[in-house]
Amino acid sequence: MRVAMIGAGYVGLVSGACFADFGHHVTCVDRDVDKISALKRGIMPIFEPGLAELVAGNLSEGRLDFSTTLAAPVAAADAVFIAVGTPSRRGDGHADLSYVYAAAREIAAALAGFTVVITKSTVPVGTGDEVERIIAQARPDADVAVVSNPEFLREGAAIQDFKHPDRIVVGSDDARAREVMTELYRPLYLNAAPILHTSRRSAELTKYAANAFLATKIALVNEIAELCEKVGADIQEVARGVGLDNRIGSKFLHAGPGFGGSCLPKDALALIKTAQDHDAPLRVVEAVVAVNDARKRGMGRKVAAALGGAVRGKIVAVLGLTFKPNTDDMREAPSIALITALQAMGADVRAYDPAGMEQAKTMLSNVAYSDSPYECAQGADALVIVTEWEQFRALDFDVLKRVMVRPVVVDLRNIYRPDDMARRGFVYARVGGTSNNP
Ligand SMILES: NC(=O)c1ccc[n+]([C@@H]2O[C@H](COP(=O)([O-])OP(=O)(O)OC[C@H]3O[C@@H](n4cnc5c(N)ncnc54)[C@H](O)[C@@H]3O)[C@@H](O)[C@H]2O)c1
């Protein structure tokens, strides 16, 4: 099949490269000229394990190419995916659909023959109706079916997720469109990944409902972690006991500094707005957003507490800036709220991240960036682990103790054990459990 992927960001690039790997002919279109020219030279715009190899392989096999103009690829395509951004609209939290609608207008002008237009971007319920209306208005003659096919991949494991999804949700009542979608995903279907055919509106809402559910799990476990600290329980023991219940499951039960990223925060806000507009407010999700915002802000106080109550004039070394490991994505990362809070309290902040520092530099000011965890810790009063990159899981504490002014570690991901840290002579604070002060 011939596929045009409009938007070569996280989702468009990964999906496009994976569809090409399945054997389809894919053109990824992006209006960002620098991004496309870099991709043509094999330079990835994002850090995602395995992506460069996947793109290079399919480029050289001739199944994948890149373009800044969509007319020719759309005219030739059986399926056109819209994978542009849907950020929070400034001011009110609604999803900003201007990129989706602009793409729909451009696609309409180029359509030729029966084409399935698929929204892969996360869009509020009813957006497919509007995309259909835009296309019908611009091109009443077009033979087109508009489908919702939300994407559930996770950054950092995007290729694995795309190729081994728990499910593929296809929202359409059109038999011809269902056939095209089934053919596109056939290699996965053979691997027994279930294709769930739903109405378009159900598919659109499924994506938001799933993200709201995941966000709720994190917010709840973080609140329970707070309670653990007050009552002398341990969140890791509690979460394990809870997660072994099959009805709940153990994923997304890790206490931490609050959720961030390009999806959960903005999707929760957009869902809240949609629900309010339809007079069916989602109070649980509203509380989740408030809890998470407070959680992120509260992490600065946790660091201050580990340093005896104040950070003014102290040097704080932050390890991990991205919202999770194996990505360079800094969108809504908890590190931003933490560093801003520490600076407001008078701390001097240093930071190290294996992949996110370039992006961080555009978002945070007055941070000294380091080339390694140990350079970052040099002369620091406290070391804070914010993102659980693999390379932070086996730090050399003898070196850290030598280079730091005080042996204070605040572990916001609970990757170390309090008894170990006490044995090594560190003041160690973590989330959801007793800290030590040897
Ligand atoms: N990032 C994720 O992990 C993830 C996961 C699931 C779903 N989603 C959803 O997928 C969508 C895309 O997210 P992303 O993270 O890939 O965004 P992104 O910002 O990384 O990429 C969007 C790309 O679209 C391009 N673009 C915008 N308008 C265009 C147009 N008219 N023509 C051509 N290119 C255009 C931009 O230049 C950009 O490169 C969003 O709705 C997001 O919520 C993201």
Side-chain angles (χ1 to χ4, degrees), residues 6-7 9-11 29-32 35 83-86 99 106 121-122 151 153 155 207 262-263 266 331:
I6 314 305
Y10 243 107
V11 166
V29 180
D30 204 293
R31 59 183 183 186
D32 183 333
K35 190 178 273 189
V84 301
T86 50
Y99 303 101
E106 286 180 63
S121 302
T122 302
E151 183 50 57
L153 62 77
E155 293 180 13
K207 171 66 188 176
S262 66
C263 290
K266 83 164 170 66
R331 288 178 277 187

Side-chain angles (χ1 to χ4, degrees), residues 158-283:
I159 295 166
Q160 164 72 17
D161 283 357
F162 193 89
K163 290 191 167 182
H164 302 275
D166 292 336
R167 76 301 205 192
I168 300 148
V169 176
V170 172
S172 173
D173 297 325
D174 185 299
R176 288 184 303 168
R178 286 185 173 192
E179 220 173 278
V180 168
M181 298 303 289
T182 305
E183 188 57 27
L184 275 172
Y185 281 107
R186 207 153 59 89
L188 298 185
Y189 196 56
L190 296 176
N191 292 345
I195 295 192
L196 184 65
H197 289 285
T198 69
S199 74
R200 193 164 62 202
R201 285 182 170 240
S202 294
E204 290 168 336
L205 192 52
T206 300
K207 171 66 188 176
Y208 281 101
N211 272 0
F213 211 99
L214 294 173
T216 303
K217 265 184 123 175
I218 299 174
L220 180 61
V221 89
N222 281 337
E223 283 205 308
I224 304 274
E226 290 273 356
L227 183 58
C228 283
E229 288 176 25
K230 301 278 163 58
V231 300
D234 183 320
I235 191 62
Q236 281 171 294
E237 292 174 355
V238 173
R240 185 161 160 71
V242 170
L244 283 170
D245 185 327
N246 282 333
R247 294 169 302 176
I248 297 171
S250 58
K251 306 257 175 75
F252 278 69
L253 283 188
H254 300 286
F259 61 78
S262 66
C263 290
L264 292 195
K266 83 164 170 66
D267 291 350
L269 282 181
L271 180 61
I272 288 168
K273 289 294 167 190
T274 301
Q276 286 170 354
D277 287 351
H278 289 83
D279 200 18
L282 291 171
R283 301 233 161 72

